[in-house]
Amino acid sequence: DTGVSQDPRHKITKRGQNVTFRCDPISEHNRLYWYRQTLGQGPEFLTYFQNEAQLEKSRLLSDRFSAERPKGSFSTLEIQRTEQGDSAMYLCASSLDEGTDTQYFGPGTRLTVL
Amino acid sequence: DAKTTQPTSMDCAEGRAANLPCNHSTISGNEYVYWYRQIHSQGPQYIIHGLKNNETNEMASLIITEDRKSSTLILPHATLRDTAVYYCIVENNNDMRFGAGTRLTVKP
């Protein structure tokens, strides 16, 4: 257990529905990252926050994807109008901004879109 | 695109050292080499990282060549629980790009 928690661990939804995932980082970590991982591939970076500021979002997969970190603590990732191709593991990581950037990952949320 | 090249898979006998190679020939001077592993259905687990010097911690050793174009992760006494996918990543300015990694299978 790294101290990064994600909820839910599994989500099954029907195509067209909206889903929201939550990530709670390690408490003193000011950076928070979201990744997507499909079967047989390594994690793919989506976006990251420094405190409440979203510093990189150009690699979000489409405008159906959005993320927030309103108070600089937990974060949510929302996918609107889900498609079957969104089925994947969504991973959250956090790090402490001090020189190197060792990221600690949560257990992930597995999304299945029917 | 990932900036590293790793073998797709490797086997290792239980109790022996596992040596996992990684090529990163385009690495820049300020980029770190990170290693993570991922056991099935879990999030990636941090193992070790380094810039120029060799590094060792309780999990593994990292050997970086003098020209920094390649590195080797060493698990000194592999156990069955070390079976996982191992990712070698070159990290710069928060950008951590994972490739497909090396699937290490430790056999009894």
Side-chain angles (χ1 to χ4, degrees):
Chain A
D1 184 359
T2 62
V4 179
S5 61
Q6 293 188 244
D7 183 68
R9 295 291 308 276
H10 303 273
K11 178 71 176 179
I12 299 174
T13 191
K14 293 182 179 179
R15 188 176 53 185
Q17 298 295 306
N18 299 343
V19 294
T20 300
F21 310 139
R22 176 179 170 124
C23 172
D24 286 89
I26 295 170
S27 60
E28 65 269 25
H29 283 188
N30 53 8
R31 289 184 180 168
L32 187 148
Y33 306 79
W34 285 100
Y35 292 80
R36 183 182 79 158
Q37 186 173 25
T38 54
L39 200 61
Q41 303 298 314
E44 175 187 13
F45 171 83
L46 296 178
T47 187
Y48 94 97
F49 294 84
Q50 176 129 353
N51 300 311
E52 64 275 10
Q54 191 172 10
L55 298 187
E56 173 59 66
K57 55 183 178 180
S58 66
R59 283 153 66 180
L60 283 168
L61 300 164
S62 78
D63 58 7
R64 297 184 298 106
F65 287 72
S66 63
E68 293 183 340
R69 194 182 183 198
K71 297 182 180 179
S73 56
F74 73 91
S75 175
T76 57
L77 177 70
E78 181 181 17
I79 309 174
Q80 295 183 327
R81 304 181 304 281
T82 53
E83 303 173 356
Q84 287 186 322
D86 297 332
S87 296
M89 175 78 85
Y90 291 85
L91 293 159
C92 173
S94 70
S95 71
L96 187 62
D97 179 13
E98 54 172 22
T100 61
D101 189 41
T102 302
Q103 297 180 25
Y104 296 90
F105 284 80
T109 294
R110 181 164 297 283
L111 172 67
T112 302
V113 182
L114 301 176
Chain B
D1 293 335
K3 299 168 76 172
T4 61
T5 304
Q6 299 178 253
T8 302
S9 63
M10 293 181 62
D11 291 342
C12 177
E14 187 179 19
R16 304 296 293 269
N19 296 278
L20 291 90
C22 179
N23 287 322
H24 31 79
S25 58
T26 60
I27 193 169
S28 301
N30 58 349
E31 291 180 325
Y32 284 80
V33 179
Y34 273 80
W35 284 84
Y36 283 78
R37 72 180 183 184
Q38 190 171 26
I39 296 169
H40 182 63
S41 296
Q42 299 181 20
Q45 177 190 22
Y46 166 75
I47 301 174
I48 198 166
H49 73 283
L51 184 62
K52 296 180 182 178
N53 300 320
N54 298 337
E55 302 288 343
T56 295
N57 63 20
E58 65 279 4
M59 290 184 68
S61 294
L62 173 60
I63 308 299
I64 302 174
T65 58
E66 193 169 344
D67 63 8
R68 302 209 326 121
K69 292 185 177 182
S70 65
S71 61
T72 301
L73 179 75
I74 301 172
L75 307 179
H77 306 285
T79 71
L80 299 180
R81 291 193 293 180
D82 291 323
T83 292
V85 177
Y86 287 77
Y87 297 101
C88 169
I89 302 151
V90 169
E91 185 269 344
N92 180 30
N93 196 26
N94 312 311
D95 191 354
M96 207 172 270
R97 302 195 184 217
F98 288 76
T102 295
R103 180 171 298 280
L104 175 69
T105 302
V106 181
K107 298 186 173 181

